[in-house]
Amino acid sequence: MKRFVPLAALMVTACATTSQPAATKIDPTIAAGPFASLPVASIEPVPDDWWRLYDDPVLDRLVEASIGANADLRVAYANLDGARAALRQAQAARLPQTTIESSLGIDNPANQPSASGNVPTTDYDLGVTASWDADLFGRLLSGALAARADAEAQAAALDGIKVAVVADTVLAYVDLCGATRSLAVVQEQVALQDRALTITRSQLAAGEVSPLEVSQAANLVAATKAAIAPLEAAQANARYRLATLAGRPAGEARSNPVTCTAPPKLRTAAPVGDGTALLLRRPDIREAERRLAAATARIGVARADLYPRINLGGALGLLSGGLVATGSPLVSWAFPNQAPARARIEQAEAAERAALAGWDVAVLRALRDVETALAAYDGEVRRNRALTEAQDEGRLYARRAEARVRLGDAAPLLRTDADRTLAQAELSLAQSELAVAQAQVALFRALGGGWRSGGEPLE
């Protein structure tokens, strides 16, 4: 796999054959330097296998399974094979083309008077023809360059799908772990609230509380239980996604379910590198750059139609009568009506301008995606810290409320309110832990991690 070379600034100037608004010529140097300085990120380079930063063997196996059998990746590999075959075809068109032809005929003169009787005669032909397009004006060369750029763009598109498949797999695993963690929190709260409800009912039987307190405790239990079904559905959804990403029917997830207890966590700040490394790594930027190179090469193909085509040809044949050889150049030229050729040039130049704008869009979108993902990640980490404090305070509130109610210093409603507050704080923290992990996945997706360089080179 060829790596993207950071010559985009020169390329933009060289490829813009028609005037462009200055605002559309994005200078790649704007990406130089680090991203926003945040405590959740470091300038360490992004590893290709970034999911191993979680040090989770289950996750490692899931990602390997997805990379090895994902159906979208199979489509991308097939498209790349087709693009490489088109490149070989374009390269072969620059070489001499040869054709071998033969024929055999038998003439039976049975109905014709002859001294030799009915003896059949045989006619045979064997010929070899060769032709070579001199390509004096670069039509075939430009076509081969365009085909190579197309193949490299398809290779970059394949890398982009690898990034998406890896990120989707990690995200599905994170969602599964987050749902499992939230479900455990809810089930623990339901058990605690059930015990509190039992105590309240005992107090009602002893005349210590009114039916109002029982109804409030029962309402809290029912409201907490209502969160269980959606979380179980989220677990199933995540398992189905993991199965599909690995190229298996979703139903297989029920027979051999993936399990985990909590979302995976990074043990260090997320390595994000810098803007220059981002432009080198993001597959969509490399794909856009190669699309631009292909569009530029096709201008050369269109321009060559303004000039004559010279084809050198010859034939050598063995006929019934003997050996025959011929040779002659063939010149074809669409002249003086060159309006169709000039219209094709204008189309190719318009396609180049569109590809240039597409490259600009890819660069700007990549920078925005990373900065946005960093801000979201940092914001969720800070929110998680605040929710951790809220959970600690909620547990303290619940213990103090329980003690006061047990001593008869407060009404049982205080304990119910404290239980509700604690349940909400613990569930919010579990959901925040999931959101932090999801933000990490979004960040690594934006950084373009998840594919390995050094793949099979183009011919």
Side-chain angles (χ1 to χ4, degrees):
M1 191 72 63
K2 292 191 174 181
R3 289 187 64 83
F4 172 80
V5 180
L7 298 178
L10 298 176
M11 180 186 63
V12 169
T13 302
C15 293
T17 57
T18 59
S19 60
Q20 294 288 319
T24 66
K25 292 183 180 179
I26 302 301
D27 183 357
T29 60
I30 64 175
F35 297 107
S37 180
L38 296 172
V40 296
S42 71
I43 61 173
E44 295 297 320
V46 180
D48 291 339
D49 49 355
W50 57 267
W51 60 91
R52 298 188 186 278
L53 295 172
Y54 292 111
D55 194 21
D56 188 329
V58 175
L59 177 58
D60 294 344
R61 289 195 297 271
L62 291 172
V63 172
E64 291 170 1
S66 293
I67 293 177
N70 183 265
D72 291 328
L73 279 176
R74 296 206 307 271
V75 172
Y77 276 114
N79 290 337
L80 178 57
D81 289 342
R84 286 174 168 169
L87 171 59
R88 290 193 294 271
Q89 179 182 3
Q91 292 172 332
R94 302 182 62 200
L95 302 175
Q97 309 297 309
T98 58
T99 304
I100 299 177
E101 299 177 342
S102 65
S103 64
L104 177 64
I106 300 177
D107 184 16
N108 187 356
N111 298 325
Q112 299 178 6
S114 172
S116 60
N118 297 330
V119 178
T121 61
T122 302
D123 294 326
Y124 57 87
D125 300 331
L126 178 65
V128 178
T129 61
S131 64
W132 178 55
D133 192 328
D135 196 28
L136 297 180
F137 303 101
R139 179 177 59 86
L140 297 179
L141 174 60
S142 297
L145 292 175
R148 173 174 289 277
D150 284 338
E152 292 170 342
Q154 193 59 53
L158 170 60
D159 291 338
I161 295 177
K162 289 181 181 177
V163 171
V165 168
V166 168
D168 287 344
T169 301
V170 179
L171 182 60
Y173 182 72
V174 162
D175 289 346
L176 171 62
C177 298
T180 302
R181 170 62 179 154
S182 297
L183 184 59
V185 169
V186 171
Q187 290 173 337
E188 181 181 358
Q189 286 298 323
V190 168
L192 293 174
Q193 292 165 12
D194 270 334
R195 286 197 293 271
L197 176 59
T198 301
I199 293 173
T200 305
R201 284 172 174 165
S202 299
Q203 291 174 329
L204 175 63
E208 297 176 3
V209 298
S210 69
L212 175 62
E213 284 79 0
V214 176
S215 296
Q216 288 182 324
N219 174 267
L220 178 59
V221 173
T224 306
K225 284 182 177 179
I228 293 178
L231 291 172
E232 290 176 339
Q235 283 182 312
N237 178 282
R239 290 189 175 109
Y240 295 154
R241 286 155 54 198
L242 287 171
T244 302
L245 285 164
R248 297 182 289 109
E252 289 188 10
R254 292 191 296 270
S255 59
N256 187 23
V258 178
T259 59
C260 61
T261 57
K265 294 182 179 180
L266 294 179
R267 289 162 177 75
T268 59
V272 300
D274 57 22
T276 301
L278 174 69
L279 298 190
L280 298 176
R281 186 176 54 252
R282 283 264 299 219
D284 58 334
I285 294 179
R286 292 188 293 111
E287 180 182 1
E289 186 270 337
R290 291 291 82 199
R291 298 295 182 197
L292 175 57
T296 302
R298 288 191 173 92
I299 294 178
V301 176
R303 264 203 197 109
D305 288 340
L306 294 174
Y307 308 104
R309 295 187 185 184
I310 301 176
N311 189 287
L312 304 178
L316 180 65
L318 180 62
L319 307 179
S320 298
L323 187 65
V324 177
T326 61
S328 64
L330 175 63
V331 179
S332 60
W333 189 17
F335 186 84
N337 181 15
Q338 293 190 319
R342 296 190 181 279
R344 287 192 292 271
I345 293 174
E346 292 178 3
Q347 293 173 20
E349 290 174 343
E352 183 200 42
R353 294 195 300 272
L356 175 59
W359 184 83
D360 293 342
V361 169
V363 171
L364 292 174
R365 182 175 55 218
L367 296 173
R368 180 204 64 194
D369 288 349
V370 173
E371 296 287 7
T372 301
L374 267 174
Y377 179 33
D378 179 69
E380 191 58 43
V381 168
R382 288 186 282 116
R383 176 174 177 264
N384 185 265
R385 294 196 192 103
L387 288 173
T388 300
E389 294 179 5
Q391 176 188 252
D392 294 340
E393 292 297 330
R395 287 174 176 171
L396 182 60
Y397 175 29
R399 286 198 302 270
R400 288 174 175 173
E402 176 66 24
R404 291 187 62 182
V405 171
R406 188 169 56 250
L407 294 173
D409 191 36
L413 293 178
L414 180 62
R415 180 177 58 200
T416 302
D417 181 71
D419 290 344
R420 179 182 292 108
T421 301
L422 177 58
Q424 182 177 359
E426 291 188 338
L427 184 57
S428 295
L429 180 59
Q431 292 172 341
S432 177
E433 291 172 352
L434 170 59
V436 168
Q438 290 172 333
Q440 291 169 351
V441 176
L443 175 60
F444 284 115
R445 183 196 291 265
L447 290 168
W451 60 274
R452 293 183 178 276
S453 59
E456 180 183 350
L458 300 177
E459 293 93 344

